[in-house]
Amino acid sequence: MGYDAAVIGGMNVDIGGRSFAPLVSGDSNPGRVSISFGGVGRNIAHNMSLLKIRTRLLTAYGDDFHADRFEASCREGNIDLGGSLRIPGASTSAYLYLTDPEGEMSLAVSDMEVCERITASFLSSRFPLFRDASALVVDANIPE
């Protein structure tokens, strides 16, 4: 089945913490923690699917709890992950950030190592999966 759009890019878990008061370094800061799905490629694919565009996402992700949740979310959102690379033993990429009470980011850690597996060789092997798409969207954050 041909797809209207193919998206090549990352997907990750976004974990955010917003402090209720000014952040105090080296201490536990009361606040609110949120977890959501993210990644440029995943966000684009998600929004295309909301617009009823038949979408395939080509990405690399780990073989962990977050991966299972991503697969379920993509199935529910009618995003085809069939050509993606699920890597045994790897962690799904994650972005962890802390904001002050006004929502301004103070600090972040980006664990995107699994995205290094979105290589030219990987994409060449998946070429038939996106060659006939009406549109191809490429996340500019993936490796060269």
Side-chain angles (χ1 to χ4, degrees):
M1 169 168 102
Y3 282 81
D4 295 329
V7 179
I8 298 169
M11 67 178 187
N12 54 275
V13 178
D14 292 331
I15 305 166
R18 185 172 184 160
S19 177
F20 292 147
L23 287 165
V24 178
S25 182
D27 200 358
S28 178
N29 291 269
R32 177 108 31 238
V33 174
S34 64
I35 300 174
S36 60
F37 299 123
V40 173
R42 181 259 168 211
N43 290 347
I44 292 168
H46 174 75
N47 284 299
M48 289 179 141
S49 72
L50 291 175
L51 294 170
K52 306 295 185 217
I53 298 169
R54 293 176 305 151
T55 305
R56 167 174 277 146
L57 175 60
L58 295 166
T59 191
Y61 57 104
D63 188 27
D64 54 12
F65 170 76
H66 297 300
D68 293 336
R69 293 179 62 212
F70 266 118
E71 287 179 345
S73 173
C74 286
R75 269 193 311 276
E76 290 168 15
N78 295 313
I79 299 168
D80 183 339
L81 277 178
S84 292
L85 182 61
R86 184 168 177 163
I87 304 164
S91 296
T92 299
S93 60
Y95 181 70
L96 171 67
Y97 62 93
L98 295 174
T99 68
D100 64 19
E102 289 75 40
E104 293 297 318
M105 186 177 64
S106 295
L107 186 64
V109 176
S110 177
D111 177 3
M112 307 292 168
E113 186 177 355
V114 74
C115 291
E116 297 295 320
R117 301 291 291 270
I118 306 172
T119 63
S121 175
F122 164 71
L123 293 174
S124 291
S125 73
R126 303 306 200 265
F127 182 69
L129 298 177
F130 62 85
R131 116 179 107 215
D132 295 329
S134 298
L136 177 62
V137 180
V138 181
D139 173 353
N141 293 318
I142 62 173
E144 220 176 276

